Amino acid sequence: IQLKRGAESARSGFTPAAGEPIYVTDENKLYIGDGSTAVQSLSALGGDLTMANGSNNRVMTATSSSAMNGEANLTFDGSTLAVTGDATVSDDLGLVSDDAQLTFGANSEVKLIHKHNEGLILKHTATGDDKPVSLILQTGETDIAADDVIGKVSFQAPDEGTGTDAILVAAEVAAISEGDFSSSSNATSLHFRTGSSAAAADRLILTSAGHLVPAADNTSDLGTSSTGFKDGYFDGTLHCDVLDLNGTEITATAAELNI
């Protein structure tokens, strides 16, 4: 392939054919003819393209037909930005419109939706029967031993101005293994924790057998003197140290035992 070539001073007076290359030897520029534009009016490939704000790891955007700009903070003005592979964000990611959504799945059937001034909604959009939304907390541990925390949900006010105890975890629900997991056992208790003047600690425990037990002996009440449960039903033995019937304490040796 032979190219028309010569000095910049000779680049005039003819119109290259469509696709015909012209090389300027003293400026190392290459021009491609389009069949209608005079050679002196063609734009060089590469040589006439300029970029402002060039720096490492910047994204280039077009600012004109022959100029690019290196963007430190890229603003995308199109309606849709599609990424066909994985996207990695090394710092903050903001969805800055009310009701913004993150969708998941090939059919986008699961959505995480912003609710203005309240929080987030996790929604399964399928309308068929028995299509609930499910949130599963999983651990990647491969050897669960006794007292391992499998997952937990914590509640905290870390920006409380008074600090100290006020910014500690105030309440928590934790799933904790009761023993070593095996092919025949995944015994787990739910621990309900609340704080008073320290980080939230165990108050009630729902065991794998369904027993609801206090975290410590003789420390927790069921109801109060002003807010009680209406009725109680027990199909078994009720054990207590003192029985109070309408203000009268009944003991094993009291005369009031004969009712």
Side-chain angles (χ1 to χ4, degrees):
I1 298 175
Q2 185 171 352
L3 308 178
K4 284 186 179 179
R5 61 191 184 277
E8 173 64 22
S9 59
R11 187 171 65 91
S12 64
F14 67 96
T15 299
E20 182 182 4
I22 308 295
Y23 182 66
V24 177
T25 56
D26 57 346
E27 293 190 0
N28 293 322
K29 292 182 179 180
L30 180 65
Y31 299 82
I32 302 296
D34 59 10
S36 61
T37 303
V39 66
Q40 64 270 19
S41 299
L42 292 173
S43 296
L45 297 182
D48 286 349
L49 183 65
T50 61
M51 186 187 79
N53 297 323
S55 183
N56 189 31
N57 291 327
R58 290 198 173 186
V59 177
M60 289 191 300
T61 59
T63 57
S64 71
S65 60
S66 60
M68 305 288 285
N69 187 64
E71 301 286 357
N73 297 291
L74 179 64
T75 300
F76 181 73
D77 293 327
S79 59
T80 302
L81 175 63
V83 179
T84 57
D86 295 339
T88 300
V89 179
S90 60
D91 209 329
D92 298 336
L93 176 64
L95 303 180
V96 293
S97 63
D98 287 340
D99 304 318
Q101 300 181 9
L102 282 176
T103 60
F104 303 87
N107 298 322
S108 299
E109 76 280 5
V110 177
K111 294 184 177 183
L112 189 62
I113 307 167
H114 168 256
K115 187 172 184 182
H116 180 59
N117 284 340
E118 290 191 32
L120 295 174
I121 300 170
L122 181 63
K123 181 178 181 179
H124 188 185
T125 62
T127 58
D129 183 50
D130 196 23
K131 297 291 184 182
V133 66
S134 176
L135 178 64
I136 303 174
L137 305 183
Q138 294 184 338
T139 177
E141 294 183 54
T142 58
D143 186 11
I144 300 296
D147 298 323
D148 280 351
V149 178
I150 299 170
K152 64 181 179 180
V153 178
S154 301
F155 304 86
Q156 187 177 18
D159 299 326
E160 161 61 40
T162 54
T164 317
D165 289 347
I167 62 175
L168 300 176
V169 172
E172 195 169 75
V173 180
I176 300 179
S177 61
E178 295 177 354
D180 291 348
F181 275 24
S182 70
S183 60
S184 60
S185 176
N186 64 345
T188 302
S189 294
L190 278 180
H191 291 236
F192 297 88
R193 300 167 172 171
T194 58
S196 178
S197 60
D202 283 355
R203 306 302 181 190
L204 286 175
I205 300 172
L206 181 61
T207 71
S208 61
H211 303 313
L212 184 63
V213 298
D217 183 44
N218 198 28
T219 58
S220 301
D221 295 332
L222 186 62
T224 69
S225 59
S226 59
T227 307
F229 290 90
K230 181 177 180 295
D231 297 314
Y233 300 87
F234 299 90
D235 188 10
T237 303
L238 178 63
H239 299 273
C240 63
D241 294 332
V242 177
L243 180 62
D244 188 310
L245 295 179
N246 199 28
T248 301
E249 290 188 358
I250 307 299
T251 66
T253 58
E256 294 87 350
L257 186 59
N258 300 314
I259 299 175

